[in-house]
Amino acid sequence: MASGRIIFLNGTSSSGKSSVARELLDILEDGVFFHMAVDGFNAMRSKRQLGAEELDAALRRTRMGFHRSIAAMAEVGNDIVVDHVLSEPWRLLDCLTVLPPEDVVFVGVHCPLDELARRELARGDRPPGLAAHQYDLVHRHGDYDLECDTGTASPRECAEQIKEFLPWRPSPTAFTRLRRRHLAGQGSAEKVGLLT
C-alpha cells in the first residue's frame, strides 16, 4: 500500500492556513484528502482548568499525538492537508522524526504582521498578540518547498498555487533537507532531547 501525501501548511495563528486547507480540499481531485488541524486536536481536550505546568505537559503530549496521527493516517494511504504552527523548535524536530520526509510538501503560509493583528482582532477567539509573538518563530528554520502569502493572495489563489506545484515538487524535499540538517547522526527523537 502506497503512503499518502502530506501537504504541510505552517504559519502563525490567523495567517489563513485553515482557509487555504479548506480550499485545497475543494480543488484537489486526484485523491481523498483529509484536513488535520492542530486546533482541532486542542479542541478535543477536556475543559477542566489546568495549572501552567500541567497545561504545558498536556499541550506537548497533544502536539506529539497530533504528529503521530498524521503519520498513521498517511501510512495507510490517506492524503493529508496539515494545518500547524511550528512556533517551538521541538515541534518541527518531532515532525521530522515521525513523518516520511519524501511524502511531505512543506508550505510556508505568510501574512504581514499588521494584517495578522487585524484578523486576530476580528476573530476575537485568540489572545491578543499571539500572531505577533509567533511571527519570528514559525519560519525560523528557513526552508520550504513552496511559500504563499495570504496578505496578497486569497486562500483560493494560494490553494491553486499549491495544486499547480504538487506535480513538480522537488527531490529532495524541504523535509528531507531539514532532516539531514537537524537529525543527521542523531538516531531517535529521544537522543536529540525532543521528548524530555
Side-chain angles (χ1 to χ4, degrees), residues 174-190:
F175 252 51
T176 300
R177 296 187 300 269
L178 288 163
R179 188 173 181 154
R180 286 177 188 156
R181 191 176 314 143
H182 295 289
L183 299 180
Q186 297 296 324
S188 68
E190 290 81 4

Side-chain angles (χ1 to χ4, degrees), residues 68-171:
R68 284 148 184 80
S69 297
I70 297 163
M73 285 287 284
E75 182 181 13
V76 296
N78 295 298
D79 293 322
I80 310 296
V81 178
V82 175
D83 168 352
H84 205 354
V85 181
L86 298 176
S87 57
E88 297 173 290
W90 78 265
R91 296 182 196 184
L92 173 60
L93 294 176
D94 195 42
C95 288
L96 293 173
T97 302
V98 301
L99 300 179
E102 286 302 316
D103 294 334
V104 177
V105 175
F106 197 25
V107 181
V109 180
H110 300 275
C111 183
L113 193 51
D114 58 342
E115 176 62 12
L116 286 170
R118 188 198 66 74
R119 291 178 186 178
E120 192 173 77
L121 185 62
R123 287 175 70 155
D125 64 350
R126 297 289 189 272
L130 178 61
H133 170 73
Q134 298 168 344
Y135 193 75
D136 290 325
L137 303 174
V138 296
H139 305 296
R140 184 172 285 174
H141 55 82
D143 195 355
Y144 286 110
D145 296 308
L146 180 67
E147 298 180 69
C148 60
D149 188 337
T150 63
T152 58
S154 71
R156 184 65 167 225
E157 289 167 336
C158 291
E160 292 282 359
Q161 182 183 357
I162 295 165
K163 179 183 178 182
E164 289 170 16
F165 176 82
L166 289 178
W168 312 106
R169 62 186 180 178
S171 183

